[in-house]
């Protein structure tokens, strides 16, 4: 909706940014009413959608027009159609559907913390309770685990490929802050000789165990319940997965965790970090760089660290060299750090 | 932040839309901490801005990086600079500063109604109390009047120009739902022979009267307190201004109001409507078309009507012909409807 003309700027973009919360609300509402699935099933006018969803025709018409303006639908002669993007990610019949994400992204907890953003900027960290993520906060992370699993598919597949899981060698994997467990499970599905240990809070691990059963790898899936900073991690791992965990902490805490990982790996084993890694300018690429603000609002001391910062943290923890691998089609990157043989 | 690649779409735009409320929060926070004014005054590093605003350096750095990603700042070697847009509209030293808008746009009341958007779509109108805007709701509209006055400057100037206020002919103007009063006041400032009557709820009119005094036109500024549907409007007006009022109501209610306006005008007088007027497709231009959703969430029966709909409403109310005039650099348009001489 940018409208800066060749000459003088207009206030339209500021106006639209102050209204940007409406984009979140509209997409959440459309997913709640399952409008995308209904359109995919052929209900493509406001009247047909109203009949299908039980909503008012006027309400549906205005919502679908707004989704068209935002690029999530197309409209032609009063008929709505899915875009490539909404057909793939927002129709519940699509295997890649991400609709469950709305349980977490754009949810009440996240928005409440952003209501206090001014205070968080003043303080340099979250002003909400539980911001340090080092105490069990089961309910929150269970919701996260259930909501976010579909979003992990591309990066979980990428990591399994990077580790050549399909070569089928005996492999011991520790998945730290496993959540839904899908990173480890993806490796176990591709490699029948992989054994996965998942570490997380107890209630969260039950979601991971559900998924392990669902994907038929439960016999090679064990759990270690507790804090990543305290629980016995075991040892002799080929790989330790650290997906979306470091961004919650300050650098000394990240280093402390990575030392424990170094100890748990076998010689020649690798730590696999999945993270939002902004460039050194910290303002590109946009989604990775913007992730900093999410950590500012939601954590005591978290941040989106640059690769130079990660290299330093990991070197201090005993890893001489780290390499960076962009995940195709995703805003995140993988850092591979090898323990000396 | 769109990232659809040539091939398969990615989920990044959906992710960013579910996080779009963060854009609103970040801009509100930056305005609250007066970051733009501080940068304009030379505090252009995170450290200097922290010192100037009393916020944490880390908090300011992350906030300013985010504002850079969103295009409201530029960043070069760790130094932040205003863009043309933020210099004009967000530095409190700029005469065109719109910072006060945050008191209303993106405020708690508006966001609460969008928290109930799903229910509003189901119902076809707001589920909050006071959605019909026909009862006094002084506190809300006083906040609106104080917040939004700066945003009206371009359209108020445009209307004053359209009515050739600078020709200085004796002119009687009625400003319905006057709010801050700036539409009428702009005419009175340009035309020393213009007399303005402002109609609104009593407490709102006191904001308009403050502004009339501030701009030196109080001696030609009278008020009519009450509902636009009930209060005696007076008669013999050259112009009746209807700025941002019709979108709150259903079409029969708009027609009822316009009949009263027709009666209040002298023969040959003109009704001047300022509105968000989407094209017939209802999805372009974006800001005018998206305004529908704001009315769905906040009003019982309001909408953004097309020009064809307004022509019909106004014809039914006695105006044979209406013409449409885009306001330069603004998302709104002016409709001029003349009463037969």
């Amino acid at each position: 909706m940018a409208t800066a003309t060749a000459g003088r700027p207009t206030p339209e973009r500021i106006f639209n940014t102050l209204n940007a919360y409406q984009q979140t609300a509209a997409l959440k509402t459309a997913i709640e009413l399952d409008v995308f699935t209904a359109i995919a099933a052929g209900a493509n006018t406001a009247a047909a959608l109203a009949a299908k969803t039980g909503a008012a025709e006027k309400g549906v018409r205005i919502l679908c027009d707004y989704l068209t303006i935002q690029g999530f639908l197309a409209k032609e002669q009063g008929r709505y159609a899915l875009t490539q993007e909404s057909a793939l990610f927002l129709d519940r019949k699509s295997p890649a559907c991400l609709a469950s994400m709305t349980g977490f992204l754009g949810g009440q907890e996240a928005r409440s913390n952003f209501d206090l953003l001014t205070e968080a900027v003043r303080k340099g960290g979250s002003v909400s309770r539980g911001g340090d993520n080092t105490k069990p906060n089961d309910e929150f992370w269970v919701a996260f685990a259930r909501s976010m699993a579909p979003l992990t598919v591309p990066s979980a597949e990428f990591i399994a490929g990077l580790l050549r899981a399909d070569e089928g060698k005996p492999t011991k994997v520790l998945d730290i802050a496993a959540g839904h467990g899908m990173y480890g499970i993806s490796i176990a599905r591709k490699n029948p000789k992989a054994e996965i240990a998942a570490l997380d809070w107890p209630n969260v691990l039950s979601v991971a165990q559900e998924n392990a059963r669902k994907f038929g790898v439960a016999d090679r899936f064990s759990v270690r319940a507790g804090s990543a900073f305290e629980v016995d991690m075991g040892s002799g791992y080929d790989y330790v997965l650290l997906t979306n965990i470091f961004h919650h902490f300050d650098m000394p805490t990240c280093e402390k965790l990575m030392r424990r990982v170094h100890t748990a790996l076998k010689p020649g084993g690798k730590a696999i970090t999945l993270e939002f890694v902004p460039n050194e300018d910290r303002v590109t690429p946009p989604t990775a760089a913007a992730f900093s603000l999410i950590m500012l609002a939601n954590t005591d001391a978290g941040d989106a660290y640059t690769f130079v910062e990660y290299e330093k943290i990991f070197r201090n923890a005993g890893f001489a060299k780290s390499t960076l691998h962009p995940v195709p089609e995703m805003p995140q990157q993988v850092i591979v750090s090898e323990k000396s043989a």
Side-chain angles (χ1 to χ4, degrees), chain A residues 267-284:
Chain A
K270 288 171 181 165
I272 310 295
T273 299
L274 178 71
E275 271 300 343
F276 293 91
V277 185
N279 295 330
E280 294 308 306
D281 63 13
R282 287 191 187 279
V283 293
T284 58

Side-chain angles (χ1 to χ4, degrees), chain A residues 128-169:
Chain A
S128 78
R129 289 164 305 135
D132 73 350
N133 290 289
T134 55
K135 288 175 288 294
N137 184 353
D138 285 338
E139 205 188 319
F140 179 81
W141 291 112
V142 168
F144 181 87
R146 292 198 191 281
S147 292
M148 301 293 274
L151 193 62
T152 64
V153 174
S155 37
E157 296 288 309
F158 177 75
I159 289 172
L162 200 67
L163 307 191
R164 303 190 180 176
D166 53 3
E167 291 181 359
K169 292 182 191 152

Side-chain angles (χ1 to χ4, degrees), chain A residues 128-302:
Chain A
S128 78
R129 289 164 305 135
D132 73 350
N133 290 289
T134 55
K135 288 175 288 294
N137 184 353
D138 285 338
E139 205 188 319
F140 179 81
W141 291 112
V142 168
F144 181 87
R146 292 198 191 281
S147 292
M148 301 293 274
L151 193 62
T152 64
V153 174
S155 37
E157 296 288 309
F158 177 75
I159 289 172
L162 200 67
L163 307 191
R164 303 190 180 176
D166 53 3
E167 291 181 359
K169 292 182 191 152
T171 307
K172 259 185 85 178
V173 178
L174 174 65
D175 187 0
I176 294 183
H180 38 66
M182 291 310 299
Y183 293 102
I185 290 167
S186 297
I187 294 169
R189 289 180 72 191
K190 287 220 161 63
N191 179 355
K193 290 190 180 149
E195 296 195 353
I196 314 297
L199 189 160
D200 212 315
W201 305 116
N203 285 0
V204 183
L205 285 173
S206 64
V207 180
Q209 285 175 307
E210 273 173 37
N211 284 328
R213 281 191 293 275
K214 181 174 156 191
F215 291 103
V217 301
D219 55 323
R220 293 175 285 125
F221 195 86
S222 64
V223 298
R224 291 176 175 267
S227 159
F229 295 92
E230 289 163 15
V231 76
D232 176 15
M233 285 186 173
S235 62
Y237 293 105
D238 298 279
Y239 301 111
V240 176
L241 310 184
L242 297 130
T243 57
N244 297 313
I245 179 164
F246 289 117
H247 57 237
H248 295 99
F249 310 118
D250 62 18
M251 289 199 237
T253 307
C254 293
E255 189 181 315
K256 192 171 144 195
L257 177 60
M258 200 59 165
R259 278 185 205 282
R260 303 195 80 213
V261 170
H262 193 266
T263 305
L265 281 167
K266 72 175 192 189
K270 288 171 181 165
I272 310 295
T273 299
L274 178 71
E275 271 300 343
F276 293 91
V277 185
N279 295 330
E280 294 308 306
D281 63 13
R282 287 191 187 279
V283 293
T284 58
T287 301
F291 193 76
S292 261
L293 191 75
I294 300 180
M295 290 301 101
L296 181 72
N298 290 292
T299 70
D300 283 345

